[in-house]
Amino acid sequence: DADVTQTPRNRITKTGKRIMLECSQTKGHDRMYWYRQDPGLGLRLIYYSFDVKDINKGEISDGYSVSRQAQAKFSLSLESAIPNQTALYFCATSDPTGFTDTQYFGPGTRLTVL
Amino acid sequence: DQQVKQNSPSLSVQEGRISILNCDYTNSMFDYFLWYKKYPAEGPTFLISISSIKDKNEDGRFTVFLNKSAKHLSLHIVPSQPGDSAVYFCAAIGSGNTGKLIFGQGTTLQVKP
């Protein structure tokens, strides 16, 4: 079984709809992250959480919100989806040891906003 | 403002030859640099990293070189194999172990049999 899972894997929605992307992990890591990937731009950080009570904005948080329901669960919400939020979304986890803080990614959610 | 740049969107090499993927950065405060590999329909997976106090790190067929004066790093894969065909992302992390990775745009590597 995958250590980091994301649901749904694919989603098509309409402009103005509210949508939630969910991430679960069995790695026991405290740190969790949400990224989006756009062609030609690499991965950009949306939000991150270092524990259940800690939520931080990333590089591109406008239009998004998150909820850390438990150590293992971190959800990303689009309150009112717009077409330029069409992208590939990745959840990641990490447990910093040493100094590299290697991140482990889920398989991604492909979101299309019409 | 792109702090980590991969200026080559794609690279094609013959099986058995060396693949060299390049990455430039602008922030001299980065402490660690990492390479991730991504196959279609999968999330990125960690490949290799290097500390800013090193100039080389090797792991099997993969070697990362860091040139701090030029703010440049490169990933060498030798010999290249068809299974290495993927998108490669360079990433950097700032001081203080903030966990915030800054990624380059990615380079698509194709290794031809």
Side-chain angles (χ1 to χ4, degrees):
Chain A
D1 287 342
D3 295 319
V4 184
T5 57
Q6 293 184 232
T7 55
R9 293 294 312 276
N10 289 282
R11 181 72 182 266
I12 300 174
T13 192
K14 294 183 179 180
T15 297
K17 293 290 188 180
R18 183 181 188 275
I19 186 166
M20 179 182 288
L21 308 183
E22 299 187 347
C23 176
S24 295
Q25 53 114 346
T26 58
K27 298 188 76 68
H29 290 171
D30 285 326
R31 295 184 172 187
M32 297 188 74
Y33 311 80
W34 275 105
Y35 292 88
R36 66 177 276 177
Q37 182 190 358
D38 297 278
L41 293 177
L43 282 80
R44 294 181 292 167
L45 183 63
I46 306 172
Y47 270 95
Y48 62 103
S49 169
F50 282 178
D51 64 42
V52 175
K53 296 180 181 180
D54 176 76
I55 302 289
N56 302 282
K57 292 183 178 180
E59 182 185 357
I60 51 163
S61 59
D62 288 348
Y64 302 94
S65 62
V66 291
S67 174
R68 184 80 184 267
Q69 299 96 324
Q71 185 203 40
K73 296 185 182 296
F74 192 35
S75 301
L76 176 72
S77 293
L78 288 68
E79 296 300 326
S80 180
I82 56 177
N84 76 0
Q85 291 177 313
T86 293
L88 192 52
Y89 289 84
F90 290 102
C91 173
T93 75
S94 73
D95 181 17
T97 55
F99 208 60
T100 58
D101 198 14
T102 301
Q103 295 187 15
Y104 300 86
F105 286 81
T109 294
R110 184 168 295 281
L111 176 66
T112 303
V113 183
L114 301 177
Chain B
D1 181 24
Q2 192 87 19
Q3 295 187 66
V4 178
K5 297 181 182 180
Q6 294 174 256
N7 292 316
S8 298
S10 62
L11 174 68
S12 181
V13 299
Q14 208 65 35
E15 181 179 6
R17 297 291 187 102
I18 185 171
S19 295
I20 300 176
L21 295 96
N22 294 303
C23 179
D24 297 298
Y25 62 96
T26 58
N27 188 342
S28 58
M29 300 302 292
F30 287 138
D31 271 341
Y32 259 88
F33 301 90
L34 305 91
W35 286 92
Y36 280 80
K37 178 169 72 172
K38 182 184 178 304
Y39 292 119
E42 296 182 10
T45 56
F46 171 73
L47 187 59
I48 192 170
S49 66
I50 187 167
S51 165
S52 60
I53 63 173
K54 304 280 189 181
D55 55 18
K56 177 182 175 181
N57 187 28
E58 189 172 354
D59 183 2
R61 297 185 297 113
F62 303 91
T63 302
V64 57
F65 295 92
L66 176 62
N67 182 333
K68 287 189 70 176
S69 61
K71 294 190 177 68
H72 176 84
L73 66 156
S74 60
L75 174 68
H76 292 211
I77 306 173
V78 55
S80 300
Q81 300 173 354
D84 296 329
S85 297
V87 179
Y88 289 79
F89 291 99
C90 169
I93 190 165
S95 60
N97 198 5
T98 63
K100 292 168 63 176
L101 285 175
I102 299 173
F103 284 85
Q105 306 97 311
T107 296
T108 300
L109 172 66
Q110 182 184 27
V111 180
K112 298 179 179 178

